Amino acid sequence: MIEIASGRNGEPLIVHTHVTPWGFAVALPMALAFAYLGALALDAHLVPTGHPSLGDVPLWLVSAVLLVFALALFLIGVAELAAYLKPSVAVVLDGTGITTQGVLGTRRHAWSDVVSAEIAPGQLALRLRSRPGRSPEVRLQFGRLAVEPARLVARLHRHRPDLQLFHRGAEV
């Protein structure tokens, strides 16, 4: 499921997210199991009252907690399923800079704003010039991107050959 632009001279390198199916394959059945347990706890005939492990906690409260947890797991599972079925653009590297897209929206950084780069196990950390209201760092998790880490680092080096890459226990 690698969907990357060719990245020739002036073309941007467009990197899509890569999500494995385990997130929803685990979350959705667990959500169903917790919903079932929450429904059982609501039915006073099926669950004995005064269970020693619950103490004086009313069963409706136990049921409500289980159902809320089931709903949270269900929403996480649906979000992971959506990300698996339709990968989104996570990073764009072009001639003018780097664009990252995440939960908090799109962030654009010029190549001149990148101060240093560090390659750690599983990620590339770019340190940026400090600006008000912006994080001084961009972290790209290799496990969530559908691109070879070496290709991402090569593109970074092509646009910023003067940038020193620090390796912290990881080789690309």
Side-chain angles (χ1 to χ4, degrees), residues 8-97:
R8 289 189 204 112
N9 295 331
E11 292 182 19
L13 176 65
I14 301 171
V15 182
H16 292 260
T17 58
H18 172 71
V19 180
T20 60
W22 292 109
F24 67 85
V26 170
L28 292 179
M30 291 299 291
L32 291 174
F34 279 109
Y36 178 72
L37 289 175
L40 280 180
L42 273 179
D43 191 0
H45 302 293
L46 297 176
V47 179
T49 56
H51 195 274
S53 65
L54 297 178
D56 292 334
V57 178
L59 286 179
W60 66 266
L61 184 60
V62 173
S63 175
V65 168
L66 287 172
L67 290 173
V68 166
F69 189 65
L71 178 64
L73 273 176
F74 177 76
L75 293 175
I76 289 170
V78 168
E80 286 289 315
L81 179 63
Y84 177 71
L85 293 176
K86 187 175 187 310
S88 61
V89 174
V91 180
V92 177
L93 299 163
D94 59 17
T96 59

